[in-house]
Amino acid sequence: QERVVESGGGSAQAGGSLRLSCRASEYTKGSYCMGWFRLAPGKEREGIAAISNDGRADIKNSLKGRFTITQNSAKDSLYLQMNNLNPEDTAMYHCAADLGYTSGTWCTAGQLSRGYQLGQGTQVTVSS
């Protein structure tokens, strides 16, 4: 069973950028809705980005213009580009999947707040 590989977290200064990666080929077969949710201390899970097997992408409204989700042509890896980071972006970021997704239906960032956590997550810390 191929494991999920998450990478790209770390520390950044406010205004900086980070790029998260999630390789999860076991979950990117056929139809899928995958992306990220984040979890900060004292806060609820927050679905932030989603992308479907047919390339439809969604970013949480408050993050649009700063965050972008993409996938590679092999469709075995997802990427979350995060620009103009601020301290409020500090959280543990988890690659996730909507296991109940059906092709052609909605694939939204909000769905990933209830998504199935695929790996251990990666910490993002933004300092002012």
Side-chain angles (χ1 to χ4, degrees), residues 3 6 8 10-11 23-24 27 52 64 79 92 94 106 123:
R3 61 191 180 98
E6 296 179 86
S11 298
R23 180 180 173 88
Y27 294 91
S52 64
K64 287 180 179 178
Y79 307 98
M92 183 69 80
H94 293 276
W106 291 104
Q123 178 67 37

Side-chain angles (χ1 to χ4, degrees), residues 84-98:
N84 194 20
L85 288 163
N86 60 63
E88 289 70 41
D89 295 318
T90 295
M92 183 69 80
Y93 286 67
H94 293 276
C95 185
D98 177 352

Side-chain angles (χ1 to χ4, degrees), residues 27-34 52-54 98-99 101-104:
Y27 294 91
T28 55
K29 297 174 182 176
S31 300
Y32 59 84
C33 175
M34 294 181 59
S52 64
N53 55 288
D54 57 2
D98 177 352
L99 298 183
Y101 176 73
T102 302
S103 182

Side-chain angles (χ1 to χ4, degrees), residues 22-67:
C22 174
R23 180 180 173 88
S25 56
E26 179 183 355
Y27 294 91
T28 55
K29 297 174 182 176
S31 300
Y32 59 84
C33 175
M34 294 181 59
W36 277 266
F37 67 83
R38 66 186 182 185
L39 188 59
K43 296 185 179 180
E44 295 183 352
R45 258 192 190 192
E46 181 182 20
I48 59 174
I51 192 165
S52 64
N53 55 288
D54 57 2
R56 289 175 292 126
D58 185 54
I59 300 291
K60 182 174 182 175
N61 283 342
S62 61
L63 302 176
K64 287 180 179 178
R66 296 197 298 123
F67 287 22

